[in-house]
Amino acid sequence: MIAVTCSPAGPKLDLNYSMPTPAPGEALLRVLLAGICSTDVEVAFRKYKGGFTGVLGHEFVGRIDAMNLKRDKDCRFSIGDRVVSEINIVPPNSKSTNYHQRAQDPDRSVLGLIKRDGVFAEYVCVPIENLHKVPDNIPTEVAVFTEPVAAACQILEQVHIKPTDRVAVLGVGKLGVLICFVLKACGKDVTAISRKGSHFGVLELRDIPTRKVSEAMVEMKESFDLVVECTGNAEGFNNALELVKPYGTIVLKTTMAGMTQTNLTAVVVKELTLVGSRCGPFDAALRMLSQRQVVLDDIKKDIYDITAFPSAISRALMAETLKVILRITPTSSN
């Protein structure tokens, strides 16, 4: 089968990658669409912690092609169902039974990131317990956003945001835009702050105020009860420290290789709360998409066939690009 793999030599298109076989309790999925996110780019070019060798990718939507059911387990899925999958995978004997537990299980593997082939391929195997059926009214080109929308929803799982709170999303790239959409859909007072403002247009269409970092750092210091930091760069946390009010909260979404220098004294003096935030609830994300609380139909999506992966990842590197999606055209049979 065709797959995009990663190694110390960099990413490459492999036309003869081995077809996966589902273990007991797993499903074999035919990948329909897969999204390229900033983490995929970091992994591909060896900038992500730990390094990774295998098939890239973790954001996707697919169809169930086969299932290897355990004898004592009922199954709520059928062959042909359109599904998405949580990315954290635990051993068969794990006591982790929900997404919260799987996300922090010490023995977990992660699709396309840690010890597990990802989804930039014709087929992928995942545990059936990780699957979520996609409602019929969600287009496939929208369903592919489920994983990052879930990551945005995780903020609401972790932090109580009062109706009077002012929220800043610092860094409005691929994930930051979705975080703004989710918070706005839940009635939060959100301001989007970015260095370049490449995506301000799509935010302003949804009545989300926008500011350049250069402006905000002069005019909006200590103006926000909550700052969500998802800049992807080392200076983002320091900027968040200046934007947040005393007794406020900073939610950290950025993951970076290496160490970040920062002023932890400011955290103590301002009596701040720091919250690390990663994967989120797929059921909440699918509900928001199905009920059109978060509308992504009009988001510009650059769609490439998987065979054009070099062009696709080059496009994903451009600041003005909001989302690059790989279309997986089957060439092999199982």
Side-chain angles (χ1 to χ4, degrees):
M1 68 174 184
I2 295 176
V4 175
T5 60
C6 182
S7 71
K12 73 169 185 176
L13 188 66
D14 189 333
L15 301 180
N16 293 290
Y17 200 77
S18 297
M19 175 79 73
T21 301
E26 291 188 347
L28 176 69
L29 308 180
R30 179 168 67 83
V31 180
L32 302 175
L33 296 176
I36 300 178
C37 75
S38 298
T39 302
D40 297 320
V41 175
E42 295 285 309
V43 172
F45 295 105
R46 317 304 283 183
K47 295 179 180 180
Y48 190 77
K49 59 180 182 178
F52 173 73
T53 298
V55 178
L56 283 167
H58 57 277
E59 300 178 9
F60 79 110
V61 58
R63 288 195 184 276
I64 298 177
D65 196 75
M67 291 185 285
N68 187 350
L69 299 176
K70 293 180 179 179
R71 292 182 181 178
D72 59 341
K73 295 289 185 182
D74 294 328
C75 184
R76 64 188 189 277
F77 298 100
S78 301
I79 302 300
D81 280 351
R82 199 168 48 126
V83 294
V84 289
S85 173
E86 298 168 23
I87 69 174
N88 299 291
I89 296 171
V90 297
N93 60 349
S94 174
K95 294 181 180 179
S96 298
T97 59
N98 58 50
Y99 91 90
H100 281 290
Q101 295 169 342
R102 286 191 287 266
Q104 296 301 328
D105 190 294
D107 299 316
R108 72 184 181 275
S109 57
V110 184
L111 284 175
L113 293 172
I114 302 173
K115 299 183 293 185
R116 186 86 181 199
D117 275 349
V119 303
F120 293 173
E122 292 180 62
Y123 293 90
V124 64
C125 289
V126 297
I128 294 170
E129 68 179 0
N130 282 51
L131 298 180
H132 296 260
K133 189 173 180 178
V134 177
D136 291 341
N137 70 329
I138 302 180
T140 298
E141 290 183 9
V142 172
V144 74
F145 286 86
T146 302
E147 193 277 337
V149 171
C153 290
Q154 180 68 358
I155 296 167
L156 297 165
E157 294 282 319
Q158 296 173 293
V159 181
H160 173 61
I161 306 175
K162 299 191 294 293
T164 54
D165 284 347
R166 294 190 68 195
V167 182
V169 177
L170 180 60
V172 284
K174 299 172 180 65
L175 177 59
V177 166
L178 296 178
I179 291 172
C180 288
F181 289 178
V182 167
L183 295 179
K184 176 71 172 181
C186 294
K188 308 307 177 185
D189 180 0
V190 186
T191 299
I193 301 174
S194 177
R195 285 189 299 179
K196 297 181 179 179
S198 302
H199 307 310
F200 280 179
V202 73
L203 294 163
E204 289 162 356
L205 284 174
R206 289 160 172 79
D207 296 321
I208 296 173
T210 59
R211 299 298 290 270
K212 293 282 188 71
V213 169
S214 57
E215 299 169 342
M217 297 309 296
V218 174
E219 303 168 10
M220 308 184 83
K221 287 186 178 181
E222 297 192 348
S223 293
F224 298 98
D225 302 278
L226 171 68
V227 177
V228 182
E229 191 283 314
C230 44
T231 63
N233 62 66
E235 68 180 283
F237 180 67
N238 292 323
N239 287 340
L241 284 175
E242 295 195 46
L243 292 170
V244 71
K245 294 178 181 179
Y247 306 107
T249 299
I250 298 175
V251 173
L252 300 172
K253 281 291 188 182
T254 292
T255 56
M256 295 183 61
M259 301 293 290
T260 301
Q261 291 188 341
T262 191
N263 178 15
L264 290 180
T265 299
V267 177
V268 177
V269 172
K270 295 176 75 169
E271 299 186 55
L272 303 177
T273 299
L274 303 183
V275 179
S277 185
R278 188 170 158 261
C279 302
F282 272 49
D283 53 352
L286 288 169
R287 184 168 59 251
M288 293 192 85
L289 294 172
S290 178
Q291 296 177 355
R292 296 183 65 80
Q293 293 172 285
V294 172
V295 178
L296 302 177
D297 307 67
D298 60 332
I299 295 298
K300 187 176 187 308
K301 310 166 188 76
D302 296 292
I303 301 178
Y304 293 79
D305 191 84
I306 190 172
T307 56
F309 177 77
S311 298
I313 199 164
S314 294
R315 179 66 182 172
L317 285 165
M318 298 178 183
E320 67 272 17
T321 302
L322 191 52
K323 196 63 180 179
V324 173
I325 296 171
L326 297 177
R327 178 181 288 115
I328 318 298
T329 304
T331 61
S332 45
S333 59
N334 59 327

